[in-house]
C-alpha cells in the first residue's frame, strides 16, 4: 500500500482539550487530557488508536464528532476532506458522512426500541442479529448483542469516516474478527476508519497504521507492518506495547 | 403473586387509615379547645341551666374518655357509618360530599395545571441549561418555592380581585343568589382565582425536579450519541428528552397530592372558599371530631391512591419493569 497519492480525509493538527473544573468554591483547576495531538486518517485506510485507559482516546473521537462536554475547551484545527471542520460543518456531517460507534450500551436510549435507534434495520442482520432484536429495548440485549447493535448503527449507512470506539470487548474472538472485518470492508470501499482499541493484536490484523496514544497525545505513528518490531519504533511506550505482543514475548516485555 | 401484592397494599392502607385516624383523634383530645365554649359561647353558656349544659356536654362528648370515644367511632366507622357532624348536624359523609364537590374540582384543576405547566417549564429550562430561559424559569421557581402559599393567595386576592376586580373576592357562589339560580359559569368564575393560586404554588416543585432530570438526560451518553447520529437539538429533546423525563415527573406529581391538599387548606381559607380545607379548619377548631376524622380519612385515601398510582405507573409504563419478570 503506497503512502503517496492517498487523499487525507481527516487531518488533526495540534489538538488540545482542556477541562475547566471548579473545586472547593471558586478555585479553578484546568486539566489537559488531550494536548498537541496530530493525526491523519486517509480515505480507504484503517488507522488503529491504541493506548492505556484514560489516555484520551474517546475524547479524541468526541472532538471529531463535536460532542465534547460543555465544560471542555478545544483548540487546534481539524480538517475533513480538505476543508476546516467547524462546529457548523460537523453538525451537517455527523450521522451521514461521519459516524460513531460508541463505547457502550449506555449510549443507546434505554426507553427506545433498538430498531428506532438503528437507521437501517437490515444492518442488524449483517451482524447476525435476528429480526426480534428490532423490537427489543437496550436492557434486553446481552453484552455481545449490544456491541453488534452499536456497530450496526454506523454500518447501516455508507459514511466516509467511521470512528469506532472499542467495538470489540465482550465479543468472542470470531465475532470480534468479523466485526473488524466489516469495518475493514468499509475501508476497502473507500471510507476512512479510525479504530480505537485496547487489543493491539487484533488491530494489527486489520489496520494499515497504528497510532499509539499516551498521556493525551499520539506518541507513535507506525505502519502496521512495522509495529511488531520494537526497534523500528521511537517512543519508549510504543516499544513496550510492541514488546508485549505474544510473538515478541520471547524478548520479555512490559504489560499494556 | 399478583394477589399477594394487592393484599399487601390493602393491609398497608388499613394500617395507614387506623394510624391516621388514631393520631387525629389523639391530637384533638389533647387540644385545649373546649367545644362548648367555642361553639356556644361563654355568654350563652352562662345563661343556661345545669341540665341544658349537661345535655350539651353529652352532645359534644366532653366527659367520655378519648380512648373510649375513639373505639365507639371506630366500631361505627368499620361498618361505614362515619357519624354525624356536630357542627353541621348532618351525616359526615353528606357534609364531605358537598364540600368535596368544591375542593376536588379545585385540586384536580390545580394538580393538572401545575403538573403540565411545571413539566413543560422544567423541560425547557433543562434543555436550555444556563441560558436565558433557564435562568428565568429557575429563578422564578426558586422564588415561588420559597414563598408561602397563603402569601401568594393574599397577593393574588389583592391584585386580581380587589385592585383589578377581575375575579370575585371570595366564596364559591355569588352572594345573595338563590341556590337554584346559581349557574355553572358562576361556580367556575368563583373557582378561578383559588384554582390558579393553588396551581401556581404547585408549579415550582415539579419544574425544578424536571429541570434536574432533563439536565441529566441532556448530558447522558445516549443524547450525545443521538447528536452524533445527526439528530438536531429539537429532535433530541422531543425524541429522547421527553421520553426519559416524563415518568419521573408523573411519579413526582402523583406523590405530591399531599402538598396540593395542604395548599388547598390555606388557599380555601384565604378565599373563604367553602371546601374540604375550610371544613377541616372549622372542624378542628370547633372540636367536631367526626367531621375532622372523616376529612382526615378521605385525605389519607387520596394521598395513598396517588402514591399507589406512582408505584404502579413504573410497572405499567416502563419497559424495563414491564418485561423484567418475563423470560427473554
Ligand atoms: N467530562 C470530563 N470532565 C473532566 N475530565 C474528563 C471528562 N471526560 C474525560 N475526562 C478525562 O479525560 C481523560 C481521557 O478520557 P477518555 O475517556 O478519552 O479516555 P480513554 O482513552 O477513552 O479511556 P478508555 O480506554 O478507558 O475508554 C481521562 O483522564 C478523564 O478523566
Ligand atoms: Mg474511551
Amino acid at each position: 500500500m503506497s503512502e503517496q497519492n492517498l487523499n487525507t480525509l481527516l487531518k488533526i493538527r495540534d489538538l488540545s482539550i482542556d477541562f475547566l473544573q471548579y473545586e472547593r468554591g471558586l478555585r479553578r483547576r484546568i486539566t489537559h487530557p488531550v494536548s498537541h495531538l496530530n493525526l491523519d486518517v486517509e480515505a480507504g485506510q484503517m488507522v488503529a488508536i491504541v493506548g492505556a485507559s484514560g489516555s484520551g482516546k474517546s475524547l479524541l473521537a468526541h472532538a471529531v464528532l463535536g460532542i465534547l462536554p460543555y465544560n471542555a475547551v478545544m483548540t487546534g484545527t481539524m480538517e475533513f476532506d480538505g476543508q476546516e471542520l467547524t462546529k457548523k460543518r460537523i453538525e451537517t456531517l455527523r450521522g451521514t458522512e461521519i459516524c460513531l460507534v460508541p463505547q457502550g450500551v449506555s449510549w443507546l436510549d434505554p426507553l427506545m426500541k433498538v430498531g428506532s435507534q438503528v437507521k437501517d434495520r437490515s444492518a442488524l442482520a449483517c451482524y447476525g442479529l435476528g429480526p426480534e432484536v428490532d423490537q427489543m429495548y437496550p436492557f434486553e440485549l446481552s453484552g455481545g448483542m449490544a456491541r453488534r447493535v452499536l456497530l450496526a448503527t454506523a454500518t447501516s449507512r455508507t459514511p466516509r469516516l467511521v470512528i469506532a470506539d472499542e467495538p470489540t470487548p465482550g465479543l468472542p474472538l470470531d465475532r470480534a474478527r468479523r466485526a473488524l472485518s466489516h469495518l475493514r470492508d468499509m475501508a476497502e470501499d473507500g471510507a476512512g476508519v479510525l479504530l480505537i482499541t485496547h487489543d493491539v493484536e487484533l488491530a494489527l490484523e486489520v489496520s494499515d497504521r497504528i497510532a499509539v496514544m499516551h498521556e493525551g497525545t499520539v506518541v507513535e505513528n507506525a505502519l502496521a507492518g512495522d509495529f511488531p518490531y520494537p526497534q523500528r519504533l521511537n517512543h519508549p511506550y510504543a516499544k513496550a506495547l510492541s514488546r508485549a505482543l505474544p510473538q515478541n514475548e520471547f524478548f520479555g516485555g512490559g504489560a499494556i | 403473586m399478583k394477589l399477594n401484592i394487592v393484599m399487601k397494599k390493602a393491609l398497608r392502607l388499613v394500617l395507614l387509615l387506623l394510624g391516621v385516624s388514631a393520631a387525629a383523634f389523639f391530637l384533638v383530645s389533647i387540644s385545649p379547645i373546649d367545644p362548648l365554649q367555642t361553639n356556644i359561647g361563654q355568654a350563652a353558656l352562662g345563661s343556661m341551666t345545669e341540665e341544658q349544659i349537661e345535655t350539651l356536654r353529652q352532645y359534644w362528648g366532653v366527659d367520655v374518655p378519648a380512648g373510649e370515644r375513639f373505639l365507639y367511632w371506630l366500631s361505627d366507622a368499620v361498618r361505614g357509618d362515619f357519624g354525624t357532624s356536630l357542627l353541621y348536624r348532618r351525616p359526615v359523609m353528606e357534609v364531605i360530599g358537598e364540600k368535596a364537590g368544591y375542593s376536588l374540582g379545585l385540586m384536580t384543576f390545580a394538580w393538572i395545571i401545575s403538573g403540565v405547566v411545571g413539566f413543560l417549564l422544567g423541560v425547557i429550562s433543562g434543555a436550555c441549561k444556563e441560558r436565558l430561559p433557564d435562568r428565568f424559569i429557575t429563578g422564578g421557581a426558586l422564588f415561588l418555592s420559597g414563598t408561602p402559599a397563603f402569601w401568594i393567595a393574599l397577593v393574588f386576592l389583592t391584585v386580581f380581585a380587589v385592585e383589578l376586580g377581575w375575579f370575585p373576592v371570595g366564596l364559591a357562589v355569588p352572594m345573595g343568589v338563590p341556590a337554584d339560580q346559581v349557574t355553572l359559569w358562576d361556580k367556575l368564575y368563583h373557582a378561578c382565582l383559588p384554582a390558579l393560586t393553588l396551581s401556581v404554588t404547585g408549579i415550582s416543585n415539579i419544574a425544578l425536579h424536571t429541570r434536574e432530570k432533563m439536565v441529566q438526560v441532556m448530558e447522558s451518553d445516549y443524547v450525545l450519541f443521538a447528536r452524533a447520529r445527526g439528530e438536531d437539538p429539537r429532535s433530541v429533546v422531543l425524541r429522547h428528552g421527553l421520553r426519559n423525563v416524563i415518568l419521573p415527573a408523573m411519579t413526582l406529581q402523583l406523590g405530591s397530592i399531599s402538598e396540593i391538599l395542604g395548599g388547598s387548606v390555606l388557599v380555601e381559607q384565604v378565599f373563604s372558599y367553602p371546601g374540604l380545607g375550610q371544613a377541616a379548619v372549622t372542624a378542628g377548631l370547633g372540636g367536631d371530631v367526626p367531621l375532622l376524622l372523616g376529612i382526615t380519612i378521605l385525605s389519607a385515601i387520596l394521598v395513598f391512591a396517588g402514591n399507589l398510582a406512582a408505584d404502579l405507573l413504573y410497572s405499567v409504563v416502563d419497559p424495563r419493569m414491564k418485561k423484567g419478570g418475563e423470560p427473554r
Side-chain angles (χ1 to χ4, degrees):
Chain A
M1 237 160 284
S2 74
E3 279 283 283
Q4 282 154 1
N5 298 335
L6 283 173
N7 101 52
T8 305
L9 189 63
L10 178 70
K11 186 167 160 185
I12 299 175
R13 289 292 173 269
D14 206 28
L15 177 78
S16 298
I17 299 169
D18 300 338
F19 278 104
L20 241 165
Q21 287 170 321
Y22 289 90
E23 50 178 29
R24 275 189 288 126
L26 293 173
R27 278 267 301 277
R28 280 210 312 191
R29 199 170 72 103
I30 300 180
T31 57
H32 316 274
V34 173
S35 55
H36 308 295
L37 178 149
N38 298 317
L39 183 74
D40 289 336
V41 179
E42 289 81 18
Q45 292 236 321
M46 189 157 171
V47 178
I49 298 213
V50 298
S53 187
S55 54
K57 305 184 295 293
S58 292
L59 284 179
L60 166 64
H62 299 174
V64 177
L65 280 142
I67 53 171
L68 287 172
Y70 72 101
N71 61 331
V73 181
M74 193 186 90
T75 54
T77 57
M78 294 189 292
E79 277 179 21
F80 180 77
D81 205 14
Q83 279 179 50
E84 199 190 339
L85 197 51
T86 58
K87 229 179 152 40
K88 264 244 138 62
R89 191 152 171 253
I90 293 176
E91 279 169 20
T92 63
L93 293 177
R94 63 188 178 197
T96 52
E97 302 206 7
I98 305 181
C99 277
L100 172 73
V101 177
Q103 201 171 350
V105 68
S106 70
W107 293 73
L108 292 175
D109 188 330
L111 296 182
M112 188 181 268
K113 287 187 179 149
V114 167
S116 316
Q117 305 189 59
V118 182
K119 265 208 185 130
D120 173 11
R121 298 172 178 204
S122 63
L124 289 171
C126 297
Y127 290 92
L129 296 164
E132 72 282 358
V133 174
D134 193 288
Q135 292 299 312
M136 285 182 172
Y137 287 95
F139 76 96
E140 297 173 270
L141 303 171
S142 70
M145 285 161 85
R147 285 271 160 239
R148 287 180 277 153
V149 168
L150 294 175
L151 279 159
T153 59
T155 46
S156 59
R157 289 151 246 203
T158 44
R160 298 178 61 199
L161 176 66
V162 182
I163 303 181
D165 195 350
E166 302 193 26
T168 54
L171 291 181
L173 194 60
D174 60 322
R175 284 248 182 247
R177 282 219 170 88
R178 199 144 11 125
L180 291 187
S181 80
H182 270 290
L183 292 173
R184 180 74 234 179
D185 289 345
M186 297 175 89
E188 297 298 329
D189 290 344
V193 177
L194 191 59
L195 169 70
I196 297 174
T197 182
H198 276 129
D199 195 329
V200 185
E201 266 186 275
L202 268 183
L204 283 175
E205 289 180 17
V206 288
S207 312
D208 300 291
R209 278 191 293 117
I210 306 279
V212 178
M213 241 180 121
H214 182 58
E215 290 177 356
T217 195
V218 172
V219 294
E220 184 82 51
N221 202 330
L223 288 174
D226 289 338
F227 198 81
Y229 307 98
Q231 65 275 20
R232 298 192 194 165
L233 305 176
N234 302 313
H235 196 273
Y237 182 76
K239 285 177 193 263
L241 277 185
S242 168
R243 260 185 245 115
L245 287 170
Q247 61 258 49
N248 291 343
E249 218 129 65
F250 175 72
F251 299 101
I256 298 182
Chain B
M1 179 64 194
K2 277 260 152 73
L3 202 70
N4 204 347
I5 295 176
V6 174
M7 295 288 285
K8 254 190 204 155
K9 295 275 180 202
L11 187 68
R12 282 256 292 275
L13 175 62
V14 169
L15 289 178
L16 174 80
L17 293 183
L18 262 180
V20 164
S21 49
F25 213 95
F26 173 71
L27 288 175
V28 178
S29 73
I30 59 167
S31 137
I33 293 175
D34 175 5
L36 262 62
Q37 301 240 345
T38 320
N39 296 311
I40 293 137
Q42 189 70 47
L45 277 179
S47 64
M48 283 179 185
T49 64
E50 279 299 317
E51 288 92 77
Q52 279 176 314
I53 293 181
E54 188 50 39
T55 328
L56 284 171
R57 288 179 76 85
Q58 264 174 26
Y59 179 76
W60 291 94
V62 181
D63 298 319
V64 186
E68 208 172 308
R69 264 188 295 157
F70 180 60
L71 289 181
Y72 281 141
W73 176 84
L74 195 63
S75 64
D76 284 344
V78 291
R79 275 182 266 125
D81 175 10
F82 288 86
T84 308
S85 161
L86 301 175
L87 286 172
Y88 293 87
R89 291 175 185 271
R90 276 157 54 206
V92 164
M93 279 301 137
E94 202 182 298
V95 178
I96 288 183
E98 178 193 308
K99 304 282 174 190
Y102 290 118
S103 278
L104 291 185
L106 201 68
M107 288 192 289
T108 311
F109 178 87
W111 188 74
I112 292 174
I113 294 296
S114 66
V116 171
V117 174
F119 176 75
L120 290 179
L121 288 178
V123 167
I124 295 171
S125 184
C128 309
K129 184 186 172 195
E130 282 171 14
R131 298 211 305 271
L132 206 59
D134 177 34
R135 286 177 202 282
F136 222 71
I137 293 169
T138 316
L142 284 175
F143 173 76
L144 272 183
S145 72
T147 314
F150 76 87
W151 190 81
I152 297 178
L154 282 174
V155 169
F156 274 32
L157 185 70
T158 316
V159 174
F160 295 111
V162 179
E163 294 293 329
L164 296 173
W166 291 352
F167 297 102
V169 177
L171 303 181
V173 290
M175 237 191 290
V177 176
D180 52 357
Q181 282 173 34
V182 174
T183 60
L184 180 65
W185 165 246
D186 282 332
K187 288 188 181 174
L188 289 178
Y189 183 51
H190 279 76
C192 260
L193 203 50
L196 276 180
T197 310
L198 200 53
S199 311
V200 167
T201 60
I203 283 178
S204 63
N205 193 20
I206 178 103
L208 289 174
H209 273 87
T210 304
R211 175 193 183 270
E212 278 324 293
K213 188 70 199 165
M214 190 69 188
V215 166
Q216 271 177 28
V217 168
M218 295 306 279
E219 284 171 4
S220 71
D221 287 345
Y222 55 86
V223 161
L224 285 188
F225 187 42
R227 284 168 53 203
R229 281 188 313 236
E231 288 189 23
D232 59 86
R234 217 182 109 240
S235 142
V236 166
V237 170
L238 295 181
R239 262 165 65 92
H240 303 284
L242 292 184
R243 181 187 303 264
N244 281 279
V245 296
I246 187 116
L247 261 181
M250 282 175 74
T251 309
L252 180 77
Q253 192 66 356
L254 283 169
S256 69
I257 288 178
S258 59
E259 267 125 71
I260 294 265
L261 262 167
S264 77
V265 175
L266 297 171
V267 168
E268 286 181 9
Q269 208 58 25
V270 172
F271 287 98
S272 321
Y273 197 80
L276 279 180
Q278 217 193 24
V281 174
T282 321
L285 293 178
D288 187 348
V289 181
L291 181 57
L292 187 67
L293 286 179
I295 295 175
T296 309
I297 296 267
L298 178 66
S299 315
I301 291 177
L302 281 179
V303 172
F304 182 85
N307 288 330
L308 184 66
D311 277 356
L312 294 181
L313 191 67
Y314 264 91
S315 52
V316 174
V317 181
D318 190 321
R320 286 166 293 194
M321 306 279 273
K322 204 163 55 179
K323 290 201 198 166
E326 294 168 18
R328 288 244 165 93

